[in-house]
Amino acid sequence: MPDENEIDLLTITQLKQVAGTVPQPYRIHAQVDGRTEKTTSQGSPFWELKLADATDSLLWRIFDNSPAFLKARELKRGDFIELGAQWIDTGKYGLEPKQPVLRALSDEETAVLLNGSEELAARQRTDYNDILGFINAVIDPRL
């Protein structure tokens, strides 16, 4: 897989839009929203991780033959991670990261994930100011 800095960082929504049947390298920043241990019909263990960002969520199934299986055991709800992989859309089972590389986010990266992009912050400030303007424009003698 290419160097981490050479791989595009996408939101989960963007990843869902660009992933196809041919594996492509991308990385996402997400919060672990849930982790469940399950077993396959053959009795093999696997983890289901629900990952979320400000735009969407996805379910990642990590089977016992994956290099990320042991790392997934250590993750808990509320952890912030980067998941880099060769992403493929499997259709029925959704997005699947091939050759996953998993790491914890730094405090700075976590803050960016929680606060959103500068573009999002600007839109939110504009929306907030519009709401304040609408509220201040309400004239009702009962108030």
Side-chain angles (χ1 to χ4, degrees):
M1 202 154 88
D3 182 35
E4 168 183 306
N5 295 326
E6 297 173 7
I7 300 174
D8 289 337
L9 176 63
L10 302 179
T11 65
I12 293 174
T13 296
Q14 291 169 329
L15 180 62
K16 287 180 176 182
Q17 291 170 348
V18 300
T21 56
V22 176
Q24 297 179 51
Y26 296 112
R27 54 194 177 102
I28 60 168
H29 287 177
Q31 182 177 20
V32 177
D33 193 35
R35 183 194 64 159
T36 307
E37 185 174 13
K38 295 189 171 187
T39 56
T40 65
S41 58
Q42 290 81 28
S44 299
F46 71 95
W47 294 105
E48 265 189 0
L49 283 184
K50 183 176 181 185
L51 303 177
D53 66 12
T55 65
D56 207 343
S57 65
L58 66 85
L59 197 61
W60 178 27
R61 291 174 184 87
I62 310 154
F63 295 93
D64 62 343
N65 62 350
S66 169
F69 185 77
L70 293 177
K71 283 189 178 184
R73 179 189 325 228
E74 299 168 8
L75 293 174
K76 59 189 178 307
R77 188 168 197 247
D79 285 348
F80 295 92
I81 62 167
E82 176 179 276
L83 177 57
Q86 297 285 333
W87 291 90
I88 187 167
D89 186 350
T90 62
K92 179 179 177 183
Y93 296 106
L95 296 176
E96 184 178 341
K98 300 286 188 180
Q99 303 168 340
V101 177
L102 187 64
R103 71 169 180 84
L105 292 184
S106 69
D107 290 342
E108 182 179 310
E109 291 169 323
T110 299
V112 169
L113 178 64
L114 291 173
N115 296 327
S117 66
E118 285 299 319
E119 177 186 313
L120 176 61
R123 276 195 322 233
Q124 289 173 335
R125 280 190 297 275
T126 300
D127 292 347
Y128 180 75
N129 289 331
D130 288 345
I131 291 168
L132 285 179
F134 294 138
I135 290 171
N136 291 331
V138 172
I139 299 172
D140 188 337
R142 297 172 292 174
L143 296 177

